[in-house]
Amino acid sequence: MSRTARTTTLTRVAVAALVAVTMTGCSSSADEQEPTTKESTSAAPEEKESATPDPLEEQAVALDTYVAQLQAQIPELQSAFDDMYSKIDIVGVQPDAVEFSYVYLEQLDAAATASGLDSMAETLQATCDSTMFPEMESAGITIDPKVIYTYYNADGSLIWTRTFSKS
């Protein structure tokens, strides 16, 4: 990944992370439990006699490669947001999505946080449209790319998740 692409990716992920800065309702942190994350899996396709590559198979490989590049940046992101999140994760969700998940360091008021994230959905959509989707397409994820943002409370309970598609 080029330096420009890396900077763009960090900026994009940081925007999603900073969305939470506007949230209110922090309370004392509870014992943390990490949520389970989705594993990138796909069913084994049937063998084909044709030499023509299957576009979905090619996209699956492209998604895995792209996600691996993003995952390499998690330590830097975690360091930048260590006072906000106990965990940041990035996984591929076959056949067409990248999921960014964030676990808050402190227990938050889930309803207030979800409301705040709802109000930031337009910003996240704009970030996906201007940065994420073009980057995914350049990486070979061209069939209906999606981005999923998921936020968990410190106790591992789901606060908010939204899937974004190209607008």
Side-chain angles (χ1 to χ4, degrees), residues 41-42 56 59-60 63 92-97 141-146:
T41 60
S42 61
L56 286 177
Q59 179 161 296
L63 180 61
V93 181
Q94 293 291 348
D96 55 12
I141 306 152
T142 58
I143 302 169
D144 197 25
K146 296 177 187 69

Side-chain angles (χ1 to χ4, degrees), residues 62-73 90:
L63 180 61
D64 289 343
T65 301
Y66 179 65
V67 167
Q69 292 172 344
L70 293 174
Q71 289 171 334
Q73 299 171 28
I90 304 170

Side-chain angles (χ1 to χ4, degrees), residues 143-156:
I143 302 169
D144 197 25
K146 296 177 187 69
V147 177
I148 305 165
Y149 291 104
T150 304
Y151 292 84
Y152 295 95
N153 228 329
D155 66 1

Side-chain angles (χ1 to χ4, degrees), residues 38-97:
K38 297 176 189 137
E39 292 296 320
S40 174
T41 60
S42 61
E46 293 182 13
E47 297 274 337
K48 292 187 179 181
E49 297 288 326
S50 171
T52 305
D54 179 358
L56 286 177
E57 289 176 18
E58 290 179 340
Q59 179 161 296
V61 171
L63 180 61
D64 289 343
T65 301
Y66 179 65
V67 167
Q69 292 172 344
L70 293 174
Q71 289 171 334
Q73 299 171 28
I74 291 174
E76 188 174 344
L77 290 168
Q78 190 67 56
S79 178
F81 296 101
D82 66 347
D83 61 339
M84 185 180 309
Y85 301 112
S86 64
K87 183 176 182 180
I88 297 173
D89 201 12
I90 304 170
V91 297
V93 181
Q94 293 291 348
D96 55 12

Side-chain angles (χ1 to χ4, degrees), residues 9-144:
T9 300
L10 283 172
T11 301
R12 179 194 66 250
V13 176
V15 166
L18 288 174
V19 164
V21 173
T22 63
M23 304 304 107
T24 60
C26 292
S27 63
S28 62
S29 63
D31 290 339
E32 291 184 27
Q33 296 175 1
E34 293 184 6
T36 56
T37 56
K38 297 176 189 137
E39 292 296 320
S40 174
T41 60
S42 61
E46 293 182 13
E47 297 274 337
K48 292 187 179 181
E49 297 288 326
S50 171
T52 305
D54 179 358
L56 286 177
E57 289 176 18
E58 290 179 340
Q59 179 161 296
V61 171
L63 180 61
D64 289 343
T65 301
Y66 179 65
V67 167
Q69 292 172 344
L70 293 174
Q71 289 171 334
Q73 299 171 28
I74 291 174
E76 188 174 344
L77 290 168
Q78 190 67 56
S79 178
F81 296 101
D82 66 347
D83 61 339
M84 185 180 309
Y85 301 112
S86 64
K87 183 176 182 180
I88 297 173
D89 201 12
I90 304 170
V91 297
V93 181
Q94 293 291 348
D96 55 12
V98 175
E99 180 174 16
F100 296 88
S101 62
Y102 305 89
V103 180
Y104 285 102
L105 186 62
E106 296 182 17
Q107 193 71 12
L108 302 177
D109 178 304
T113 304
S115 178
L117 288 163
D118 280 338
S119 71
M120 296 300 296
E122 189 174 309
T123 300
L124 290 171
Q125 180 69 58
T127 300
C128 289
D129 287 336
S130 67
T131 309
M132 192 71 177
F133 296 133
E135 189 175 283
M136 289 173 75
E137 289 173 349
S138 292
I141 306 152
T142 58
I143 302 169
D144 197 25

